[in-house]
Amino acid sequence: MGAGGRMNVSTEAKRSKSDVLKRVPYSKPPFTVGDVKKAIPPHCFKRSVIRSFSYVFYDLAIASLFYYVATTYIPLLPQPLSFLAWPLYWICQGCVLTGVWVIAHECGHHAFSDYQWLDDTVGLILHSALLVPYFSWKYSHRRHHSNTGSLERDEVFVPKAKSNLRWSAKFLNNPLGRVLTLAVQLTLGWPLYLMFNVSGRPYDRFACHYDPHGPIYNDRERLQIYLSDVGVLSVFYGLYRLVAAKGLAWVVCVYGCPLLIVNGFLVLITYLQHTHPSLPHYDSLEWDWLRGALATVDRDYGILNKVFHNITDTHVAHHLFSTMPHYHAMEATKAIKPILGDYYQFDGTPIFKAMWREAKECIYVEQDDADQNKGVFWYNNKL
């Protein structure tokens, strides 16, 4: 995450395929979190209310412009052109609103300002507008950051052992099956995770982000889960009134389809940040917070890095220092790379190619028979 500056992606992208897929070190690093933090200029940890709000206003201004152009001019186009114009609007608006989603995500990490109440107010408004239960996701996502890379306690995209794969895995391990899996994942993955904890950490009973009394949350958090539900329900009511006034087709075209794009990007970004053939996972014998935080990968989305406030290509720094505002994370990434050395992973593979490769190669995790560290697991695809 971070909007200031650009990493030299062209240099990173020149690494050979073997370098990109080479396993990162999994032994305890020769540096501490304190060592890494000392390498970062102190101003990178400072949050500015004015600068943070400038990104909110900028994104909302662009989204409003797209809305105005779409609702004013697309209906005037002849049908063949309108059939092309609407999808173009959906994609552009979806990308901008993904940036809005990222800012709300910043609020959940207390990276927006020095005031927790302000972060929660802005985050609740922005996330609710995108049908995300703000506090619900804030708390489950915080636990993901506390347990990244842990096979027992991580919250999302927790890989399965080969013995725990569903019976359908073997039948889906082919090109057609991967297309179907990715299609479902990118369209339904986000709501399925929120409603049914699909791809999330196993709990001993039903887990749902909308359930204040579910196992995801403790007693101190339950009241805020109710508040998250009120926020989402309020937006649903507003959409109901819009449907009554404008019609279902209008609401789907203007709001629903861009939201599908947002949801698809959220799943894709998160999936590719934590799924890579070079990354280890750990059980309780080997896991510690620092190695887990380093078991992530930065990716290159081209111009969308900027649109997404660089949540895509500074994710390693974000996992190490999640309260750092996004507009400093690029500078911080450049500063920590010499300290991290081989523990830092960047993959400049084109995103859709990487998505297909990871869907093919990363089916389950298992230990290496020859490895003496029995708590370290790697991706495999041999079924």
Side-chain angles (χ1 to χ4, degrees):
M1 303 166 65
R6 282 284 296 151
M7 184 183 299
N8 189 356
V9 172
S10 61
T11 300
E12 295 279 5
K14 289 179 181 178
R15 293 193 301 168
S16 68
K17 179 181 178 181
S18 60
D19 288 338
V20 167
L21 299 181
K22 180 182 178 182
R23 290 177 175 179
V24 300
Y26 58 84
S27 57
K28 289 190 176 182
F31 50 81
T32 66
V33 178
D35 295 330
V36 180
K37 188 174 183 178
K38 288 177 183 177
I40 301 174
H43 71 263
C44 290
F45 296 97
K46 294 181 179 180
R47 296 163 290 204
S48 165
V49 172
I50 294 176
R51 189 167 181 182
S52 293
F53 265 114
S54 72
Y55 290 98
V56 176
F57 295 144
Y58 179 82
D59 283 355
L60 294 181
I62 298 298
S64 299
L65 177 62
F66 283 148
Y67 164 80
Y68 173 78
V69 170
T71 56
T72 303
Y73 296 106
I74 293 181
L76 303 179
L77 296 174
Q79 276 198 350
L81 290 179
S82 66
F83 290 153
L84 296 175
W86 277 116
L88 181 61
Y89 161 75
W90 298 338
I91 294 170
C92 293
Q93 188 72 295
C95 290
V96 172
L97 293 180
T98 301
V100 174
W101 196 101
V102 170
I103 294 174
H105 158 267
E106 289 262 293
C107 295
H109 282 293
H110 195 22
F112 187 83
S113 75
D114 292 333
Y115 310 100
Q116 186 67 66
W117 67 268
L118 181 60
D119 287 29
D120 286 341
T121 301
V122 174
L124 179 64
I125 293 171
L126 296 181
H127 261 169
S128 296
L130 298 171
L131 300 182
V132 178
Y134 170 73
F135 288 106
S136 308
W137 187 83
K138 169 184 172 178
Y139 290 127
S140 69
H141 187 63
R142 178 180 295 176
R143 292 186 179 96
H144 158 64
H145 271 257
S146 298
N147 299 284
T148 307
S150 168
L151 291 172
E152 287 97 350
R153 298 187 305 275
D154 202 351
E155 283 288 339
V156 66
F157 284 118
V158 183
K160 291 182 171 62
K162 187 176 183 179
S163 59
N164 293 332
L165 291 177
R166 294 181 178 178
W167 62 269
S168 58
K170 184 174 294 187
F171 298 98
L172 294 174
N173 192 26
N174 56 71
L176 182 60
R178 284 189 283 275
V179 169
L180 178 62
T181 300
L182 287 169
V184 173
Q185 188 171 316
L186 295 178
T187 54
L188 300 177
W190 178 241
L192 287 176
Y193 171 63
L194 292 178
M195 291 188 290
F196 304 111
N197 198 39
V198 173
S199 83
R201 168 187 171 181
Y203 286 94
D204 56 4
R205 60 190 178 92
F206 178 70
C208 171
H209 279 73
Y210 301 100
D211 180 8
H213 299 282
I216 302 176
Y217 309 108
N218 60 44
D219 291 339
R220 291 183 292 104
E221 298 165 345
R222 303 197 194 284
L223 182 61
Q224 291 180 312
I225 308 308
Y226 279 110
L227 186 58
S228 296
D229 292 347
V230 169
V232 173
L233 288 173
S234 298
V235 174
F236 267 119
Y237 178 72
L239 292 173
Y240 165 76
R241 297 299 299 266
L242 269 178
V243 169
K246 296 283 191 176
L248 179 61
W250 188 91
V251 173
V252 169
C253 284
V254 171
Y255 176 84
C257 290
L259 187 65
L260 286 177
I261 300 295
V262 174
N263 293 348
F265 270 124
L266 297 181
V267 173
L268 178 63
I269 291 169
T270 308
Y271 173 68
L272 291 182
Q273 285 168 340
H274 297 282
T275 308
H276 194 281
S278 72
L279 297 179
H281 284 75
Y282 306 95
D283 68 12
S284 57
L285 296 175
E286 284 288 330
W287 183 86
D288 62 67
W289 182 85
L290 180 55
R291 282 191 289 173
L294 293 171
T296 60
V297 57
D298 288 347
R299 304 275 190 170
D300 180 26
Y301 285 67
I303 192 174
L304 291 180
N305 289 333
K306 190 78 169 178
V307 178
F308 297 159
H309 303 302
N310 295 94
I311 193 176
T312 46
D313 55 349
T314 62
H315 190 68
V316 175
H318 171 63
H319 260 274
L320 292 171
F321 307 103
S322 59
T323 59
M324 181 190 299
H326 67 85
Y327 39 82
H328 292 313
M330 184 62 72
E331 183 179 357
T333 295
K334 292 179 180 179
I336 66 176
K337 284 172 61 180
I339 305 296
L340 300 184
D342 289 339
Y343 284 85
Y344 173 78
Q345 176 68 314
F346 174 90
D347 188 347
T349 304
I351 290 305
F352 289 107
K353 182 179 179 181
M355 177 182 67
W356 184 258
R357 182 191 67 200
E358 268 55 298
K360 180 181 179 182
E361 301 292 334
C362 303
I363 306 299
Y364 60 90
V365 291
E366 66 178 359
Q367 301 169 339
D368 280 350
D369 292 336
D371 198 333
Q372 299 301 313
N373 293 282
K374 294 303 182 182
V376 182
F377 293 74
W378 303 94
Y379 278 110
N380 206 331
N381 66 348
K382 302 296 187 295
L383 293 177

